Amino acid sequence: MADKLNVIVICGSLRKGSYNASVARALPALAPPEMAIKSAPGYDKFPLYNADLQAVGNPPEVIAWVEAIRAADGVVIVSAEYNWSIPGPLKNAIDWASRVKDQPFKDKPVAVQSASPGLVGGSRMQYHLRQALTSIDAMMFGKPEVIINFANKKIDEKTGEIADQPTKDIITQQLAAFAKFIERVRA
Amino acid sequence: MADKLNVIVICGSLRKGSYNASVARALPALAPPEMAIKSAPGYDKFPLYNADLQAVGNPPEVIAWVEAIRAADGVVIVSAEYNWSIPGPLKNAIDWASRVKDQPFKDKPVAVQSASPGLVGGSRMQYHLRQALTSIDAMMFGKPEVIINFANKKIDEKTGEIADQPTKDIITQQLAAFAKFIERVRA
Amino acid sequence: MADKLNVIVICGSLRKGSYNASVARALPALAPPEMAIKSAPGYDKFPLYNADLQAVGNPPEVIAWVEAIRAADGVVIVSAEYNWSIPGPLKNAIDWASRVKDQPFKDKPVAVQSASPGLVGGSRMQYHLRQALTSIDAMMFGKPEVIINFANKKIDEKTGEIADQPTKDIITQQLAAFAKFIERVRA
Amino acid sequence: MADKLNVIVICGSLRKGSYNASVARALPALAPPEMAIKSAPGYDKFPLYNADLQAVGNPPEVIAWVEAIRAADGVVIVSAEYNWSIPGPLKNAIDWASRVKDQPFKDKPVAVQSASPGLVGGSRMQYHLRQALTSIDAMMFGKPEVIINFANKKIDEKTGEIADQPTKDIITQQLAAFAKFIERVRA
C-alpha cells in the first residue's frame, strides 16, 4: 500500500450536478491497482487572483490546494469547457498556485479529461489547459485522451454514474497509461 | 458628439500597478476623434462562476458589466497573460457574461491588446482570448495587433504613463482601424 | 443571377476518396438561392513553399489559385485535420498565397468546415486555421460551426454523398448564415 | 563517444538565407559535451502529402527522414512561423512521417526553437507545433523556450552566425536542459 501512486483529481466545474464532478467521482474505481485517487481540496473559496492580495499572503485555501498538489505523485484534471477554453474558476486556481513560492506543478505529471453535452466533449479546453500547464513546467501526459461528448447521454442524471461502457474503458486505459507515465517521468 | 463611437475598455489584471491598467488609462487620449473610450465597470467583485449561483440570479456587478458591454459600440480588452493564457479573473467575468440571457458579446466588435514584461508581450493570451470570444459570437478585430513586450521598460513606473512612442503609435493605429472596423461590421 | 454571391470551396485533403472532398461536392446543392458555390482550382501541383522559389516567380498554379480567391465573394474551406492541426498541403497553399503581392485573403470572408472519422471531427484543425487566416486579414465567419465527426458513418462510402440529415441541415444553416455574413462585412 | 546523445536538428524553412537555418547550424557548437547534434536529412523533395500516394509506397526521401528521426535520441526543430502557424512544408513532412508504420515521433524527445524578424519571434508556431507533435506521442520538452525575435538584428547577415550573446546563452541553456530531459524520459 505504501507504494501506491498517490493521485489527486481536480474538477473544473463548481456546480453540484456537474458532469465532470461525476466523472471525477468515478475515477478511483477505474484506477489500476497501483494507483490511489482522491479528490483535491476545493478551490471554490479562492479570491479572484490579484498579485496585490497575494503579496499580503496566500489564503489558507490556496495553501491547502498547493500542498495537496505538491504531495501528489500525479494530478488528473477533469474539466468542462467554458467558451472554448478553460473555465475561469479553474484558471484562477492555477494562477494562484503558479505564483506560490516553489509552485507545485513543476515536474508534476498531469493528465486531462473533459466531459460536456456538446459534440466535441470539451476538447478545446484541453489544448488550452495543456498550454497553460506547460508554461509552469508540468509534465503533461499525452494519450489516450479522455473526451466525453454528449455527456448528458453517457452519465446517468439521477445517480451521477457513468452509464456508458466505452467511456469507462477509455478512462481505465488512460489511468493505466498515466500510471506508467508517472513512473517514467517523475524526477 | 452624439455620433461618437462609444467604446469601453476592460483591463485583464486586477493589481493596482498593472501595466495593462496603465495602457487602458492611456487609450482615451490615443483614440481617433470619432471614438470615445471609457472604463468598463469592475469585475473584481464577481464570485467564481458557478451555474448553481447563476440560477439563483446574476449578481448586480455582473449585470452592470453586461449592460456596459451591451451599450457599447465596441470593446477593447487590455490584458496580461497568465501562464500562457487568459487570466482566470478575466475569463471568469467572460464566463458569467456569456451565460446571461441575450449575452452581450454577440455581434460586438472587440479589439485586444496586451502588455507584459516578457519577450512575447502577453501575445499567447491574445490567441486564447480570440478563440473564447469567437465562441460567443463577438466580431473580433484583426490587425494591427498591440503587443507590448518588455512593458517595464516602456511604461514609466512612477507616472504609469506610456513612455515609448512606437507603443503609442501602434495603439493609435489600432484604435483608428478599430473605429473603421466597428462602422463596417456592426449589425 | 448576376447578383449571386460567388463562393469557392477549397478542400483540405488531396486523396480521391476524401470525406472532405465529398462534403465539398455537396455544398452547391445546400447553398441558399443567393449563393453559387464552385470548386477552387487545385493546389496539388504547388511546390513546397520556399521564398527563394517565389522570388523567381510564382508558379502558374499559385497564380490561378490566388486569382480564384481574389475573384470570390467568399471562401469555404472544408478540411481534414492532420495531427491535430492544418494539413501540410493546405497550409503550404495558404503560405504561397499569403506572400503574393496583394494577397487574396485580405478582407475575404472565410467559413470553415471539417469532417473526420474521429470523435472531434477535425475541429482542432479549425482553430489553427482560424488563427492562420486571421494573420492574413481574412474575415473569419464564426458560427454555426460545421464539425462532422464519425464521418465514415455519415458519408456513403460508395456514392460519396452525405447520408446524414442533421449534417446536411447544419451545413445548410452555416451557408445561409455565411451569405448574410458576406453581405455584412464585405468592404 | 559511444554514449553521446545523438540529436538531430530539423529546420522549418527551406530558403537558403533562412535565419532558422543559421540557428540550426549554430547548435552543434552550443550543445553540452554529452550531446552530438547533426542535421536531419532534407524534406524539400517530399511530395505534398496524399494518402493515395502513400498507399503506393513511401518516397525514399520520406523513409530517410523517418529513419533519421527513429535513430536519434532526440530532435530539435528550429522553425520559422508562417502566418501565425507551422510552415506548410514542415507540417507536410510531419504529416508524411506520422503515417509511416511505427511512426518515428512516438516517445521521441523533441525541443523547439524559433527565429523571426518579428516581435514575437515565431512563438505562435511553437504552440501549434507542440500540439501537432503531442498528437503523435512525442515527448515535448518544456522550458526554457528559445524564441529569437528581431532575428535580423541578432544574426549576422553576411556570416549567418548568431551575433547576440544572450541568444547563444539561452540556446546553450535549453540544450543542456534538453540533454537532462532526454535522459529522464526516454523509454
Side-chain angles (χ1 to χ4, degrees):
Chain A
M1 281 296 284
D3 290 314
K4 278 211 179 191
L5 294 172
N6 160 31
V7 168
I8 60 171
V9 57
I10 295 167
C11 177
S13 171
L14 298 178
R15 73 183 179 94
K16 275 243 170 65
S18 159
Y19 298 118
N20 287 281
S22 290
V23 174
R25 279 192 302 271
L27 297 192
L30 299 172
E34 69 272 26
M35 179 186 282
I37 302 185
K38 62 179 180 185
S39 289
Y43 58 81
D44 55 310
K45 299 286 193 296
F46 285 22
L48 293 178
Y49 182 79
N50 178 329
D52 295 334
L53 272 185
Q54 193 170 39
V56 177
N58 286 298
E61 294 85 359
V62 170
I63 293 170
W65 201 67
V66 163
E67 286 181 350
I69 295 168
R70 202 176 274 142
D73 295 310
V75 176
V76 180
I77 300 179
V78 186
S79 180
E81 165 192 298
Y82 287 177
N83 303 317
W84 296 3
S85 189
I86 307 165
L90 173 62
K91 183 58 168 48
N92 184 65
I94 293 169
D95 291 344
W96 272 101
S98 71
R99 284 163 181 78
V100 165
K101 187 166 149 39
D102 299 325
Q103 62 90 4
F105 284 104
K106 182 170 170 51
D107 285 326
K108 191 68 57 183
V110 179
V112 182
Q113 305 181 353
S114 61
S116 109
L119 173 76
V120 302
S123 56
R124 290 171 286 225
M125 174 282 303
Q126 296 206 14
Y127 310 107
H128 281 199
L129 186 57
R130 284 177 178 278
Q131 180 166 314
L133 292 173
T134 296
S135 84
I136 48 175
D137 302 315
M139 297 293 290
M140 297 306 298
F141 173 77
K143 297 192 308 183
E145 296 184 285
V146 173
I147 300 171
I148 308 170
N149 66 355
F150 305 125
N152 51 331
K153 296 180 185 167
K154 294 175 180 169
I155 295 171
D156 186 296
E157 203 183 337
K158 286 187 185 159
T159 65
E161 291 185 359
I162 301 174
D164 181 65
Q165 192 58 42
T167 298
K168 287 189 203 176
D169 292 346
I170 191 70
I171 292 174
T172 300
Q173 289 166 37
Q174 192 201 60
L175 293 177
F178 187 45
K180 289 200 175 67
F181 179 82
I182 293 174
E183 296 287 9
R184 177 174 169 188
V185 304
R186 59 180 171 175
Chain B
M1 279 298 282
D3 291 313
K4 277 210 178 192
L5 294 171
N6 161 30
V7 168
I8 60 172
V9 57
I10 295 168
C11 177
S13 170
L14 297 178
R15 73 183 180 93
K16 275 244 171 66
S18 159
Y19 297 119
N20 288 281
S22 290
V23 174
R25 280 192 301 270
L27 296 192
L30 299 171
E34 70 272 25
M35 180 185 280
I37 302 184
K38 61 180 180 185
S39 289
Y43 57 82
D44 55 309
K45 299 288 192 295
F46 285 23
L48 294 178
Y49 182 78
N50 179 328
D52 295 334
L53 272 185
Q54 194 169 39
V56 177
N58 285 297
E61 295 84 1
V62 170
I63 294 170
W65 201 66
V66 163
E67 287 182 350
I69 294 167
R70 202 176 274 142
D73 295 310
V75 176
V76 180
I77 300 180
V78 186
S79 180
E81 166 192 299
Y82 288 176
N83 302 317
W84 295 4
S85 188
I86 307 165
L90 173 62
K91 183 59 168 46
N92 185 65
I94 293 168
D95 292 345
W96 273 100
S98 70
R99 284 163 181 77
V100 165
K101 189 166 148 38
D102 298 325
Q103 62 91 2
F105 283 104
K106 182 170 170 52
D107 285 326
K108 191 67 59 183
V110 179
V112 182
Q113 305 181 352
S114 61
S116 109
L119 173 76
V120 302
S123 55
R124 291 171 285 225
M125 174 281 303
Q126 297 205 14
Y127 310 108
H128 282 199
L129 186 57
R130 283 177 180 277
Q131 180 166 316
L133 292 174
T134 296
S135 84
I136 47 175
D137 303 314
M139 297 293 290
M140 298 305 298
F141 173 78
K143 297 192 307 183
E145 295 185 286
V146 173
I147 299 171
I148 308 171
N149 66 355
F150 305 126
N152 51 331
K153 295 180 183 166
K154 294 175 179 169
I155 294 171
D156 186 297
E157 202 183 339
K158 286 187 185 158
T159 64
E161 290 185 359
I162 301 174
D164 181 64
Q165 192 58 43
T167 297
K168 287 188 203 177
D169 292 346
I170 190 71
I171 292 173
T172 301
Q173 289 166 37
Q174 192 200 58
L175 294 177
F178 186 46
K180 289 200 176 67
F181 179 82
I182 293 173
E183 296 287 9
R184 177 173 169 188
V185 305
R186 60 178 170 176
Chain C
M1 281 295 282
D3 291 314
K4 278 210 179 192
L5 294 171
N6 161 31
V7 167
I8 60 171
V9 56
I10 295 167
C11 177
S13 170
L14 298 178
R15 73 184 180 92
K16 275 243 170 68
S18 159
Y19 298 118
N20 287 282
S22 290
V23 174
R25 279 192 302 270
L27 297 193
L30 299 172
E34 69 272 25
M35 179 185 280
I37 302 185
K38 61 180 181 186
S39 289
Y43 57 81
D44 55 309
K45 299 287 193 295
F46 285 22
L48 293 178
Y49 182 78
N50 179 328
D52 296 335
L53 272 185
Q54 193 170 41
V56 177
N58 286 298
E61 294 85 0
V62 170
I63 293 170
W65 201 67
V66 163
E67 287 181 350
I69 295 167
R70 201 175 277 144
D73 295 310
V75 175
V76 180
I77 300 180
V78 186
S79 180
E81 166 192 297
Y82 288 176
N83 303 317
W84 295 2
S85 188
I86 308 165
L90 173 62
K91 183 59 168 47
N92 185 65
I94 293 169
D95 292 344
W96 273 100
S98 71
R99 285 165 180 77
V100 165
K101 187 166 150 37
D102 299 326
Q103 63 91 2
F105 283 104
K106 182 170 170 50
D107 285 326
K108 190 68 59 184
V110 179
V112 182
Q113 305 182 353
S114 61
S116 110
L119 173 75
V120 301
S123 56
R124 291 172 285 226
M125 173 281 302
Q126 296 205 15
Y127 310 107
H128 282 199
L129 187 56
R130 283 177 179 277
Q131 180 165 315
L133 292 174
T134 296
S135 84
I136 48 176
D137 302 314
M139 297 294 289
M140 297 305 298
F141 173 77
K143 296 193 306 182
E145 295 185 285
V146 173
I147 300 172
I148 308 170
N149 66 354
F150 305 126
N152 51 332
K153 295 179 184 166
K154 295 176 180 169
I155 295 171
D156 186 296
E157 203 182 338
K158 286 188 184 157
T159 65
E161 290 184 0
I162 301 173
D164 181 64
Q165 192 58 42
T167 298
K168 287 188 203 177
D169 291 345
I170 191 69
I171 293 174
T172 300
Q173 288 166 36
Q174 192 200 59
L175 294 177
F178 187 45
K180 289 200 176 68
F181 180 82
I182 294 174
E183 296 287 9
R184 177 173 169 189
V185 304
R186 60 180 170 176
Chain D
M1 281 296 283
D3 291 316
K4 277 212 179 191
L5 293 171
N6 160 30
V7 167
I8 60 172
V9 56
I10 295 168
C11 177
S13 170
L14 297 178
R15 72 183 180 93
K16 276 243 169 69
S18 159
Y19 297 118
N20 287 282
S22 290
V23 173
R25 280 192 302 270
L27 296 192
L30 299 172
E34 69 272 24
M35 180 185 280
I37 302 185
K38 62 180 179 185
S39 289
Y43 57 81
D44 55 309
K45 299 286 192 296
F46 286 22
L48 293 179
Y49 182 79
N50 179 329
D52 295 334
L53 272 185
Q54 193 169 39
V56 177
N58 285 298
E61 294 86 359
V62 170
I63 294 170
W65 201 66
V66 163
E67 287 182 348
I69 295 167
R70 202 176 274 142
D73 295 310
V75 175
V76 180
I77 300 180
V78 186
S79 179
E81 165 191 298
Y82 288 176
N83 302 317
W84 296 3
S85 189
I86 307 165
L90 173 62
K91 183 59 168 47
N92 185 65
I94 293 168
D95 291 343
W96 273 99
S98 71
R99 284 163 181 77
V100 165
K101 189 168 147 36
D102 299 325
Q103 63 91 3
F105 283 104
K106 183 172 169 48
D107 284 326
K108 190 68 60 183
V110 179
V112 182
Q113 305 181 353
S114 61
S116 110
L119 173 76
V120 302
S123 55
R124 291 171 284 225
M125 174 280 304
Q126 296 205 14
Y127 310 108
H128 282 198
L129 186 57
R130 283 177 180 278
Q131 180 166 316
L133 292 174
T134 296
S135 83
I136 48 175
D137 302 314
M139 297 293 290
M140 297 306 299
F141 173 78
K143 297 192 307 182
E145 295 185 285
V146 173
I147 299 171
I148 308 172
N149 66 354
F150 305 125
N152 51 331
K153 295 179 182 166
K154 295 175 179 169
I155 295 171
D156 186 297
E157 201 183 339
K158 287 189 183 155
T159 64
E161 291 185 358
I162 300 173
D164 180 65
Q165 191 58 42
T167 297
K168 287 189 203 176
D169 291 347
I170 190 71
I171 292 174
T172 301
Q173 289 165 37
Q174 192 201 58
L175 294 177
F178 187 46
K180 289 201 175 67
F181 179 82
I182 293 173
E183 296 288 9
R184 177 174 168 188
V185 304
R186 58 179 172 176

